[in-house]
Amino acid sequence: MKATDQFFQDVSPRDKPGLATIIKTYFMRHAQVFFYSLGQLWRTPFSLFMTAAVIAIALALPTGLHLLLENAQALSGGWDGAAKVSLFLKKSASEQQAEQLRNKIRKMPEIAEVEFISRDKGLADFKARTGYGDAITALDENPIPHLIVVTPKLQHSDAQQLEALAKQFREISQVEFVQLDQEWVQRLYAIMDIVSQGVLILGIMISIAVLLVVGNTIRLAIQNRRDEIVIVKLIGGTDAFIRRPFLYTGFWYGLIGGVMALILVFIALWLMNGPVEKLAGLYQTPFSLHKMDIGTITIVLALSIGLGLGGSWIAVGRHLRDIEPR
Amino acid sequence: MINFIQACKRYPGSQDALSNVSFELGEGEMAFLTGHSGAGKSTLLKLIALIERTTRGQVLVNGENTAKVKRRRIPYFRRKIGIIFQDHQLLFDRTVYDNVALPLIIDGQPPREIARRTRAALDKVGLLSREKSFPITLSGGEQQRVGIARAVVNKPPLLLADEPTGNLDPELSWEIMQIFEQFRQVGVTVLVASHDLDMIQRMGHRILALKQGQLIGDTANAA
């Protein structure tokens, strides 16, 4: 080429850009597209709001249920999974006899742990944990017997073995009454397991729905910009270049939808906290709903952004190939 | 620069759009492609730009066999070709400047280079003062010049134009042709499809004539 021509001197690259410039330019372009795609969404705030609200409501549902479940678990947190056998001793049994009995049980091979709760300690616990402290003090005498709580080893915890153990304990002379603590706790945990599984399944189904909503929105965006895609392909735009704004659009839908979901859950918790505190107050327990922790917030945002990106990725992958210059 | 070796193109369910076309266009050469509509002018250009692929025969562009260019490589292949369309193919939601800068942005050029080269290209087609305008506010001839600026901003060694003056009056057409002529003078290979025989003959360059998919005339051979 004739170097004398002014024009081609002007449009020629002046010097080859270094690696640093190339990398800097690359990231700058990404940042530009990142904000450009937000700007594009902002131009049609109503449709942005509609799509983001669909995502938000969809994600708020499993998030809210998950938090309620977590609260229920926290409420029942004192009861752990292992079955326990409570031995209520006769009033006539002395503290010394009780301790002897405890030591004897502790030596049994199928026992993991034995806890002795004396009458005095039991009374103190009762006062602290329930709302009937005032009523108890009105009594002349401590109505609570000595209590030995036996935790069998896990391999001895199934229903039949527990029953056999209980039978053995009932034959001890100082024992007034043997109670198996396990059944209703196990039932409660089983129910919670089912609910938790249900929340998980609901979450997965809703995630797929969000994926499809974003995918469909991006599909429409691609159709709307069909001409532009053809032009960019004609002048040498790679698939990655064309894909980029749509992926960032999906990212923004996910982020905005996720933030809105968190706000919805936050409002719901705030509305429910008043009545819950009132109810707890009636039982004289200081319980209030757990707020969302950083972990939950991170997961919800990561999930919604991931779904936004994933949905747009699917749409872009499906439809970009179909659009070719003719 | 361009080498057709018995190239054929058949669209499914129809006759050959091009059959046994062979010619060679050297570097820095300028040629016109003529023929009635449907003669295969657009198809021939599409084979060069890899918008379509040959059914039989070979098309070599810049020493590269187009049949061997994988789908993934097509964008990089196209960056070495400036294409100008009858209907301009501009992005109407972006300014003239942004339209012309697009090939450089796609190519990942640093911003300062983009600004300099985009302005140079706009200056070349006489539209530097309209850089902030939107294409819709420009006349047909001006829009076509924006299209040309975009095609050459990346300094491609090959320029293809499909009926670039199809919608323009003779005077504007002549201006556009003079711009092409200037590119030829600096070593760009230029291939223009047009049915404006009067103007083509005035330009005095090589003419390739197509009829029903066959090359029926080539002034380079006649001479």
Side-chain angles (χ1 to χ4, degrees), chain B residues 101-136:
Chain B
L102 195 56
L104 298 173
I105 292 172
I106 286 172
D107 201 32
Q109 295 291 328
R112 275 183 54 204
E113 283 280 297
I114 291 176
R116 187 173 61 78
R117 291 167 67 179
T118 303
R119 295 222 164 82
L122 279 171
D123 193 30
K124 192 65 191 171
V125 297
L127 283 175
L128 191 52
S129 60
R130 308 297 301 269
E131 62 172 337
K132 293 202 173 64
S133 309
F134 283 88
I136 199 79

PDB file of all heavy atoms in Angstrom, chain B residues 101-136:
ATOM      1  N   ALA B 101     -17.651   3.171  14.231  1.00  0.00           N
ATOM      2  CA  ALA B 101     -16.670   2.647  15.182  1.00  0.00           C
ATOM      3  C   ALA B 101     -16.860   1.147  15.440  1.00  0.00           C
ATOM      4  O   ALA B 101     -15.941   0.469  15.912  1.00  0.00           O
ATOM      5  CB  ALA B 101     -16.764   3.414  16.499  1.00  0.00           C
ATOM      6  N   LEU B 102     -18.056   0.632  15.107  1.00  0.00           N
ATOM      7  CA  LEU B 102     -18.402  -0.744  15.485  1.00  0.00           C
ATOM      8  C   LEU B 102     -17.377  -1.811  15.070  1.00  0.00           C
ATOM      9  O   LEU B 102     -16.990  -2.642  15.894  1.00  0.00           O
ATOM     10  CB  LEU B 102     -19.792  -1.080  14.947  1.00  0.00           C
ATOM     11  CG  LEU B 102     -20.460  -2.320  15.544  1.00  0.00           C
ATOM     12  CD1 LEU B 102     -20.551  -2.214  17.052  1.00  0.00           C
ATOM     13  CD2 LEU B 102     -21.847  -2.501  14.946  1.00  0.00           C
ATOM     14  N   PRO B 103     -16.882  -1.791  13.820  1.00  0.00           N
ATOM     15  CA  PRO B 103     -15.896  -2.831  13.467  1.00  0.00           C
ATOM     16  C   PRO B 103     -14.644  -2.781  14.346  1.00  0.00           C
ATOM     17  O   PRO B 103     -14.058  -3.829  14.645  1.00  0.00           O
ATOM     18  CB  PRO B 103     -15.550  -2.501  12.007  1.00  0.00           C
ATOM     19  CG  PRO B 103     -16.718  -1.745  11.497  1.00  0.00           C
ATOM     20  CD  PRO B 103     -17.236  -0.959  12.662  1.00  0.00           C
ATOM     21  N   LEU B 104     -14.266  -1.577  14.758  1.00  0.00           N
ATOM     22  CA  LEU B 104     -13.067  -1.448  15.594  1.00  0.00           C
ATOM     23  C   LEU B 104     -13.346  -1.945  17.005  1.00  0.00           C
ATOM     24  O   LEU B 104     -12.487  -2.556  17.648  1.00  0.00           O
ATOM     25  CB  LEU B 104     -12.595   0.015  15.634  1.00  0.00           C
ATOM     26  CG  LEU B 104     -12.189   0.600  14.272  1.00  0.00           C
ATOM     27  CD1 LEU B 104     -11.916   2.093  14.405  1.00  0.00           C
ATOM     28  CD2 LEU B 104     -10.961  -0.111  13.737  1.00  0.00           C
ATOM     29  N   ILE B 105     -14.557  -1.674  17.491  1.00  0.00           N
ATOM     30  CA  ILE B 105     -14.937  -2.162  18.823  1.00  0.00           C
ATOM     31  C   ILE B 105     -14.956  -3.688  18.814  1.00  0.00           C
ATOM     32  O   ILE B 105     -14.429  -4.343  19.709  1.00  0.00           O
ATOM     33  CB  ILE B 105     -16.319  -1.601  19.235  1.00  0.00           C
ATOM     34  CG1 ILE B 105     -16.218  -0.090  19.459  1.00  0.00           C
ATOM     35  CG2 ILE B 105     -16.834  -2.287  20.496  1.00  0.00           C
ATOM     36  CD1 ILE B 105     -17.537   0.607  19.678  1.00  0.00           C
ATOM     37  N   ILE B 106     -15.552  -4.242  17.757  1.00  0.00           N
ATOM     38  CA  ILE B 106     -15.594  -5.701  17.620  1.00  0.00           C
ATOM     39  C   ILE B 106     -14.187  -6.278  17.613  1.00  0.00           C
ATOM     40  O   ILE B 106     -13.919  -7.334  18.181  1.00  0.00           O
ATOM     41  CB  ILE B 106     -16.342  -6.070  16.314  1.00  0.00           C
ATOM     42  CG1 ILE B 106     -17.840  -5.842  16.489  1.00  0.00           C
ATOM     43  CG2 ILE B 106     -16.066  -7.506  15.912  1.00  0.00           C
ATOM     44  CD1 ILE B 106     -18.622  -5.986  15.213  1.00  0.00           C
ATOM     45  N   ASP B 107     -13.275  -5.539  16.974  1.00  0.00           N
ATOM     46  CA  ASP B 107     -11.905  -6.008  16.842  1.00  0.00           C
ATOM     47  C   ASP B 107     -11.111  -5.800  18.131  1.00  0.00           C
ATOM     48  O   ASP B 107      -9.963  -6.217  18.230  1.00  0.00           O
ATOM     49  CB  ASP B 107     -11.238  -5.275  15.674  1.00  0.00           C
ATOM     50  CG  ASP B 107     -10.032  -6.032  15.157  1.00  0.00           C
ATOM     51  OD1 ASP B 107     -10.055  -7.274  15.233  1.00  0.00           O
ATOM     52  OD2 ASP B 107      -9.078  -5.388  14.703  1.00  0.00           O
ATOM     53  N   GLY B 108     -11.726  -5.144  19.136  1.00  0.00           N
ATOM     54  CA  GLY B 108     -11.048  -4.965  20.417  1.00  0.00           C
ATOM     55  C   GLY B 108      -9.950  -3.910  20.390  1.00  0.00           C
ATOM     56  O   GLY B 108      -8.952  -4.028  21.097  1.00  0.00           O
ATOM     57  N   GLN B 109     -10.145  -2.873  19.584  1.00  0.00           N
ATOM     58  CA  GLN B 109      -9.139  -1.813  19.525  1.00  0.00           C
ATOM     59  C   GLN B 109      -9.236  -0.908  20.761  1.00  0.00           C
ATOM     60  O   GLN B 109     -10.322  -0.706  21.285  1.00  0.00           O
ATOM     61  CB  GLN B 109      -9.362  -0.964  18.261  1.00  0.00           C
ATOM     62  CG  GLN B 109      -9.149  -1.723  16.975  1.00  0.00           C
ATOM     63  CD  GLN B 109      -7.692  -2.085  16.755  1.00  0.00           C
ATOM     64  OE1 GLN B 109      -6.807  -1.354  17.156  1.00  0.00           O
ATOM     65  NE2 GLN B 109      -7.446  -3.228  16.147  1.00  0.00           N
ATOM     66  N   PRO B 110      -8.115  -0.361  21.195  1.00  0.00           N
ATOM     67  CA  PRO B 110      -8.170   0.571  22.322  1.00  0.00           C
ATOM     68  C   PRO B 110      -8.919   1.849  21.943  1.00  0.00           C
ATOM     69  O   PRO B 110      -8.890   2.252  20.776  1.00  0.00           O
ATOM     70  CB  PRO B 110      -6.702   0.872  22.640  1.00  0.00           C
ATOM     71  CG  PRO B 110      -5.899   0.284  21.544  1.00  0.00           C
ATOM     72  CD  PRO B 110      -6.739  -0.658  20.765  1.00  0.00           C
ATOM     73  N   PRO B 111      -9.580   2.490  22.913  1.00  0.00           N
ATOM     74  CA  PRO B 111     -10.474   3.612  22.643  1.00  0.00           C
ATOM     75  C   PRO B 111      -9.819   4.763  21.872  1.00  0.00           C
ATOM     76  O   PRO B 111     -10.466   5.367  21.013  1.00  0.00           O
ATOM     77  CB  PRO B 111     -10.892   4.080  24.039  1.00  0.00           C
ATOM     78  CG  PRO B 111     -10.411   3.082  25.000  1.00  0.00           C
ATOM     79  CD  PRO B 111      -9.567   2.083  24.319  1.00  0.00           C
ATOM     80  N   ARG B 112      -8.578   5.054  22.169  1.00  0.00           N
ATOM     81  CA  ARG B 112      -7.961   6.203  21.489  1.00  0.00           C
ATOM     82  C   ARG B 112      -7.794   5.924  20.003  1.00  0.00           C
ATOM     83  O   ARG B 112      -8.008   6.793  19.167  1.00  0.00           O
ATOM     84  CB  ARG B 112      -6.610   6.533  22.129  1.00  0.00           C
ATOM     85  CG  ARG B 112      -6.777   7.446  23.342  1.00  0.00           C
ATOM     86  CD  ARG B 112      -5.435   7.828  23.939  1.00  0.00           C
ATOM     87  NE  ARG B 112      -4.527   8.415  22.972  1.00  0.00           N
ATOM     88  CZ  ARG B 112      -3.198   8.399  23.116  1.00  0.00           C
ATOM     89  NH1 ARG B 112      -2.655   7.821  24.153  1.00  0.00           N
ATOM     90  NH2 ARG B 112      -2.444   8.963  22.215  1.00  0.00           N
ATOM     91  N   GLU B 113      -7.399   4.693  19.695  1.00  0.00           N
ATOM     92  CA  GLU B 113      -7.282   4.280  18.298  1.00  0.00           C
ATOM     93  C   GLU B 113      -8.633   4.373  17.606  1.00  0.00           C
ATOM     94  O   GLU B 113      -8.726   4.840  16.469  1.00  0.00           O
ATOM     95  CB  GLU B 113      -6.797   2.823  18.231  1.00  0.00           C
ATOM     96  CG  GLU B 113      -5.322   2.654  18.500  1.00  0.00           C
ATOM     97  CD  GLU B 113      -4.507   2.987  17.259  1.00  0.00           C
ATOM     98  OE1 GLU B 113      -4.671   2.283  16.253  1.00  0.00           O
ATOM     99  OE2 GLU B 113      -3.753   3.963  17.298  1.00  0.00           O
ATOM    100  N   ILE B 114      -9.666   3.924  18.319  1.00  0.00           N
ATOM    101  CA  ILE B 114     -11.002   3.926  17.731  1.00  0.00           C
ATOM    102  C   ILE B 114     -11.416   5.346  17.366  1.00  0.00           C
ATOM    103  O   ILE B 114     -11.880   5.609  16.260  1.00  0.00           O
ATOM    104  CB  ILE B 114     -12.016   3.287  18.714  1.00  0.00           C
ATOM    105  CG1 ILE B 114     -11.737   1.799  18.845  1.00  0.00           C
ATOM    106  CG2 ILE B 114     -13.443   3.525  18.239  1.00  0.00           C
ATOM    107  CD1 ILE B 114     -12.608   1.091  19.839  1.00  0.00           C
ATOM    108  N   ALA B 115     -11.205   6.280  18.309  1.00  0.00           N
ATOM    109  CA  ALA B 115     -11.609   7.661  18.072  1.00  0.00           C
ATOM    110  C   ALA B 115     -10.867   8.216  16.850  1.00  0.00           C
ATOM    111  O   ALA B 115     -11.472   8.821  15.960  1.00  0.00           O
ATOM    112  CB  ALA B 115     -11.307   8.504  19.310  1.00  0.00           C
ATOM    113  N   ARG B 116      -9.583   7.973  16.791  1.00  0.00           N
ATOM    114  CA  ARG B 116      -8.770   8.537  15.711  1.00  0.00           C
ATOM    115  C   ARG B 116      -9.177   7.944  14.359  1.00  0.00           C
ATOM    116  O   ARG B 116      -9.418   8.677  13.394  1.00  0.00           O
ATOM    117  CB  ARG B 116      -7.293   8.230  16.001  1.00  0.00           C
ATOM    118  CG  ARG B 116      -6.325   8.893  15.043  1.00  0.00           C
ATOM    119  CD  ARG B 116      -4.896   8.671  15.504  1.00  0.00           C
ATOM    120  NE  ARG B 116      -4.545   7.246  15.560  1.00  0.00           N
ATOM    121  CZ  ARG B 116      -4.236   6.522  14.490  1.00  0.00           C
ATOM    122  NH1 ARG B 116      -4.255   7.059  13.305  1.00  0.00           N
ATOM    123  NH2 ARG B 116      -3.924   5.234  14.616  1.00  0.00           N
ATOM    124  N   ARG B 117      -9.288   6.624  14.327  1.00  0.00           N
ATOM    125  CA  ARG B 117      -9.545   5.978  13.041  1.00  0.00           C
ATOM    126  C   ARG B 117     -10.979   6.195  12.570  1.00  0.00           C
ATOM    127  O   ARG B 117     -11.237   6.331  11.378  1.00  0.00           O
ATOM    128  CB  ARG B 117      -9.221   4.488  13.153  1.00  0.00           C
ATOM    129  CG  ARG B 117      -7.721   4.252  13.314  1.00  0.00           C
ATOM    130  CD  ARG B 117      -7.391   2.849  13.734  1.00  0.00           C
ATOM    131  NE  ARG B 117      -7.701   1.883  12.695  1.00  0.00           N
ATOM    132  CZ  ARG B 117      -7.471   0.582  12.821  1.00  0.00           C
ATOM    133  NH1 ARG B 117      -6.923   0.112  13.928  1.00  0.00           N
ATOM    134  NH2 ARG B 117      -7.770  -0.247  11.857  1.00  0.00           N
ATOM    135  N   THR B 118     -11.927   6.232  13.522  1.00  0.00           N
ATOM    136  CA  THR B 118     -13.316   6.476  13.139  1.00  0.00           C
ATOM    137  C   THR B 118     -13.451   7.862  12.520  1.00  0.00           C
ATOM    138  O   THR B 118     -14.100   8.043  11.485  1.00  0.00           O
ATOM    139  CB  THR B 118     -14.228   6.356  14.372  1.00  0.00           C
ATOM    140  OG1 THR B 118     -14.052   5.072  14.945  1.00  0.00           O
ATOM    141  CG2 THR B 118     -15.684   6.542  13.994  1.00  0.00           C
ATOM    142  N   ARG B 119     -12.821   8.844  13.160  1.00  0.00           N
ATOM    143  CA  ARG B 119     -12.913  10.218  12.636  1.00  0.00           C
ATOM    144  C   ARG B 119     -12.244  10.315  11.277  1.00  0.00           C
ATOM    145  O   ARG B 119     -12.728  11.014  10.384  1.00  0.00           O
ATOM    146  CB  ARG B 119     -12.267  11.195  13.626  1.00  0.00           C
ATOM    147  CG  ARG B 119     -13.048  11.229  14.936  1.00  0.00           C
ATOM    148  CD  ARG B 119     -13.223  12.615  15.497  1.00  0.00           C
ATOM    149  NE  ARG B 119     -14.276  12.610  16.500  1.00  0.00           N
ATOM    150  CZ  ARG B 119     -14.067  12.222  17.765  1.00  0.00           C
ATOM    151  NH1 ARG B 119     -12.868  11.849  18.168  1.00  0.00           N
ATOM    152  NH2 ARG B 119     -15.063  12.203  18.613  1.00  0.00           N
ATOM    153  N   ALA B 120     -11.125   9.595  11.123  1.00  0.00           N
ATOM    154  CA  ALA B 120     -10.434   9.622   9.830  1.00  0.00           C
ATOM    155  C   ALA B 120     -11.333   9.060   8.735  1.00  0.00           C
ATOM    156  O   ALA B 120     -11.417   9.615   7.629  1.00  0.00           O
ATOM    157  CB  ALA B 120      -9.128   8.833   9.916  1.00  0.00           C
ATOM    158  N   ALA B 121     -12.019   7.957   9.057  1.00  0.00           N
ATOM    159  CA  ALA B 121     -12.893   7.337   8.048  1.00  0.00           C
ATOM    160  C   ALA B 121     -14.068   8.256   7.715  1.00  0.00           C
ATOM    161  O   ALA B 121     -14.445   8.402   6.548  1.00  0.00           O
ATOM    162  CB  ALA B 121     -13.393   5.996   8.559  1.00  0.00           C
ATOM    163  N   LEU B 122     -14.637   8.889   8.749  1.00  0.00           N
ATOM    164  CA  LEU B 122     -15.753   9.798   8.511  1.00  0.00           C
ATOM    165  C   LEU B 122     -15.301  11.007   7.704  1.00  0.00           C
ATOM    166  O   LEU B 122     -16.008  11.499   6.824  1.00  0.00           O
ATOM    167  CB  LEU B 122     -16.352  10.259   9.854  1.00  0.00           C
ATOM    168  CG  LEU B 122     -17.314   9.271  10.494  1.00  0.00           C
ATOM    169  CD1 LEU B 122     -17.682   9.721  11.897  1.00  0.00           C
ATOM    170  CD2 LEU B 122     -18.575   9.140   9.639  1.00  0.00           C
ATOM    171  N   ASP B 123     -14.105  11.474   7.999  1.00  0.00           N
ATOM    172  CA  ASP B 123     -13.551  12.603   7.265  1.00  0.00           C
ATOM    173  C   ASP B 123     -13.415  12.240   5.790  1.00  0.00           C
ATOM    174  O   ASP B 123     -13.695  13.038   4.902  1.00  0.00           O
ATOM    175  CB  ASP B 123     -12.190  12.959   7.878  1.00  0.00           C
ATOM    176  CG  ASP B 123     -11.703  14.304   7.373  1.00  0.00           C
ATOM    177  OD1 ASP B 123     -12.570  15.157   7.068  1.00  0.00           O
ATOM    178  OD2 ASP B 123     -10.479  14.503   7.281  1.00  0.00           O
ATOM    179  N   LYS B 124     -12.994  11.004   5.559  1.00  0.00           N
ATOM    180  CA  LYS B 124     -12.755  10.538   4.195  1.00  0.00           C
ATOM    181  C   LYS B 124     -14.023  10.570   3.352  1.00  0.00           C
ATOM    182  O   LYS B 124     -13.985  10.862   2.162  1.00  0.00           O
ATOM    183  CB  LYS B 124     -12.200   9.103   4.259  1.00  0.00           C
ATOM    184  CG  LYS B 124     -11.653   8.617   2.949  1.00  0.00           C
ATOM    185  CD  LYS B 124     -10.441   9.430   2.559  1.00  0.00           C
ATOM    186  CE  LYS B 124     -10.030   9.149   1.132  1.00  0.00           C
ATOM    187  NZ  LYS B 124      -9.001  10.106   0.707  1.00  0.00           N
ATOM    188  N   VAL B 125     -15.165  10.248   3.976  1.00  0.00           N
ATOM    189  CA  VAL B 125     -16.417  10.273   3.213  1.00  0.00           C
ATOM    190  C   VAL B 125     -17.155  11.599   3.390  1.00  0.00           C
ATOM    191  O   VAL B 125     -18.293  11.747   2.968  1.00  0.00           O
ATOM    192  CB  VAL B 125     -17.351   9.092   3.598  1.00  0.00           C
ATOM    193  CG1 VAL B 125     -16.683   7.775   3.247  1.00  0.00           C
ATOM    194  CG2 VAL B 125     -17.713   9.140   5.081  1.00  0.00           C
ATOM    195  N   GLY B 126     -16.488  12.560   4.046  1.00  0.00           N
ATOM    196  CA  GLY B 126     -17.042  13.914   4.153  1.00  0.00           C
ATOM    197  C   GLY B 126     -18.190  14.043   5.135  1.00  0.00           C
ATOM    198  O   GLY B 126     -19.071  14.879   4.974  1.00  0.00           O
ATOM    199  N   LEU B 127     -18.193  13.222   6.170  1.00  0.00           N
ATOM    200  CA  LEU B 127     -19.310  13.270   7.123  1.00  0.00           C
ATOM    201  C   LEU B 127     -18.862  13.521   8.555  1.00  0.00           C
ATOM    202  O   LEU B 127     -19.597  13.255   9.494  1.00  0.00           O
ATOM    203  CB  LEU B 127     -20.095  11.946   7.075  1.00  0.00           C
ATOM    204  CG  LEU B 127     -21.027  11.760   5.895  1.00  0.00           C
ATOM    205  CD1 LEU B 127     -21.629  10.375   5.923  1.00  0.00           C
ATOM    206  CD2 LEU B 127     -22.126  12.812   5.900  1.00  0.00           C
ATOM    207  N   LEU B 128     -17.647  14.052   8.704  1.00  0.00           N
ATOM    208  CA  LEU B 128     -17.132  14.250  10.063  1.00  0.00           C
ATOM    209  C   LEU B 128     -18.046  15.177  10.868  1.00  0.00           C
ATOM    210  O   LEU B 128     -18.228  14.996  12.075  1.00  0.00           O
ATOM    211  CB  LEU B 128     -15.710  14.809  10.000  1.00  0.00           C
ATOM    212  CG  LEU B 128     -14.943  14.826  11.317  1.00  0.00           C
ATOM    213  CD1 LEU B 128     -14.958  13.459  11.986  1.00  0.00           C
ATOM    214  CD2 LEU B 128     -13.503  15.261  11.084  1.00  0.00           C
ATOM    215  N   SER B 129     -18.667  16.144  10.164  1.00  0.00           N
ATOM    216  CA  SER B 129     -19.513  17.101  10.888  1.00  0.00           C
ATOM    217  C   SER B 129     -20.814  16.459  11.364  1.00  0.00           C
ATOM    218  O   SER B 129     -21.508  17.012  12.217  1.00  0.00           O
ATOM    219  CB  SER B 129     -19.836  18.289   9.985  1.00  0.00           C
ATOM    220  OG  SER B 129     -20.513  17.829   8.831  1.00  0.00           O
ATOM    221  N   ARG B 130     -21.137  15.287  10.821  1.00  0.00           N
ATOM    222  CA  ARG B 130     -22.404  14.654  11.210  1.00  0.00           C
ATOM    223  C   ARG B 130     -22.206  13.494  12.173  1.00  0.00           C
ATOM    224  O   ARG B 130     -23.096  12.658  12.336  1.00  0.00           O
ATOM    225  CB  ARG B 130     -23.141  14.123   9.965  1.00  0.00           C
ATOM    226  CG  ARG B 130     -23.330  15.142   8.839  1.00  0.00           C
ATOM    227  CD  ARG B 130     -24.193  16.320   9.274  1.00  0.00           C
ATOM    228  NE  ARG B 130     -25.513  15.921   9.712  1.00  0.00           N
ATOM    229  CZ  ARG B 130     -26.560  15.844   8.905  1.00  0.00           C
ATOM    230  NH1 ARG B 130     -26.440  16.153   7.631  1.00  0.00           N
ATOM    231  NH2 ARG B 130     -27.733  15.486   9.369  1.00  0.00           N
ATOM    232  N   GLU B 131     -21.044  13.424  12.795  1.00  0.00           N
ATOM    233  CA  GLU B 131     -20.736  12.223  13.576  1.00  0.00           C
ATOM    234  C   GLU B 131     -21.734  11.969  14.710  1.00  0.00           C
ATOM    235  O   GLU B 131     -21.987  10.837  15.078  1.00  0.00           O
ATOM    236  CB  GLU B 131     -19.305  12.281  14.133  1.00  0.00           C
ATOM    237  CG  GLU B 131     -19.037  13.433  15.083  1.00  0.00           C
ATOM    238  CD  GLU B 131     -17.671  13.330  15.747  1.00  0.00           C
ATOM    239  OE1 GLU B 131     -17.146  12.208  15.811  1.00  0.00           O
ATOM    240  OE2 GLU B 131     -17.160  14.347  16.210  1.00  0.00           O
ATOM    241  N   LYS B 132     -22.329  13.036  15.251  1.00  0.00           N
ATOM    242  CA  LYS B 132     -23.257  12.852  16.372  1.00  0.00           C
ATOM    243  C   LYS B 132     -24.708  12.659  15.911  1.00  0.00           C
ATOM    244  O   LYS B 132     -25.589  12.457  16.745  1.00  0.00           O
ATOM    245  CB  LYS B 132     -23.172  14.050  17.315  1.00  0.00           C
ATOM    246  CG  LYS B 132     -21.832  14.135  18.026  1.00  0.00           C
ATOM    247  CD  LYS B 132     -21.916  14.946  19.306  1.00  0.00           C
ATOM    248  CE  LYS B 132     -20.627  14.874  20.099  1.00  0.00           C
ATOM    249  NZ  LYS B 132     -19.484  15.480  19.350  1.00  0.00           N
ATOM    250  N   SER B 133     -24.934  12.735  14.601  1.00  0.00           N
ATOM    251  CA  SER B 133     -26.304  12.572  14.100  1.00  0.00           C
ATOM    252  C   SER B 133     -26.700  11.104  14.127  1.00  0.00           C
ATOM    253  O   SER B 133     -25.847  10.216  14.170  1.00  0.00           O
ATOM    254  CB  SER B 133     -26.398  13.062  12.653  1.00  0.00           C
ATOM    255  OG  SER B 133     -25.859  14.345  12.543  1.00  0.00           O
ATOM    256  N   PHE B 134     -28.014  10.894  14.063  1.00  0.00           N
ATOM    257  CA  PHE B 134     -28.491   9.526  13.910  1.00  0.00           C
ATOM    258  C   PHE B 134     -28.752   9.266  12.427  1.00  0.00           C
ATOM    259  O   PHE B 134     -29.172  10.195  11.703  1.00  0.00           O
ATOM    260  CB  PHE B 134     -29.757   9.312  14.735  1.00  0.00           C
ATOM    261  CG  PHE B 134     -29.452   9.140  16.194  1.00  0.00           C
ATOM    262  CD1 PHE B 134     -29.371  10.249  17.037  1.00  0.00           C
ATOM    263  CD2 PHE B 134     -29.195   7.884  16.729  1.00  0.00           C
ATOM    264  CE1 PHE B 134     -29.054  10.092  18.377  1.00  0.00           C
ATOM    265  CE2 PHE B 134     -28.887   7.730  18.063  1.00  0.00           C
ATOM    266  CZ  PHE B 134     -28.810   8.829  18.894  1.00  0.00           C
ATOM    267  N   PRO B 135     -28.514   8.052  11.959  1.00  0.00           N
ATOM    268  CA  PRO B 135     -28.612   7.758  10.521  1.00  0.00           C
ATOM    269  C   PRO B 135     -29.944   8.179   9.915  1.00  0.00           C
ATOM    270  O   PRO B 135     -29.984   8.578   8.761  1.00  0.00           O
ATOM    271  CB  PRO B 135     -28.448   6.238  10.472  1.00  0.00           C
ATOM    272  CG  PRO B 135     -27.652   5.897  11.678  1.00  0.00           C
ATOM    273  CD  PRO B 135     -28.047   6.891  12.731  1.00  0.00           C
ATOM    274  N   ILE B 136     -31.017   8.114  10.704  1.00  0.00           N
ATOM    275  CA  ILE B 136     -32.342   8.398  10.158  1.00  0.00           C
ATOM    276  C   ILE B 136     -32.435   9.850   9.671  1.00  0.00           C
ATOM    277  O   ILE B 136     -33.226  10.180   8.801  1.00  0.00           O
ATOM    278  CB  ILE B 136     -33.437   8.092  11.223  1.00  0.00           C
ATOM    279  CG1 ILE B 136     -34.804   7.919  10.576  1.00  0.00           C
ATOM    280  CG2 ILE B 136     -33.502   9.164  12.293  1.00  0.00           C
ATOM    281  CD1 ILE B 136     -34.989   6.573   9.961  1.00  0.00           C
TER     282      ILE B 136
END
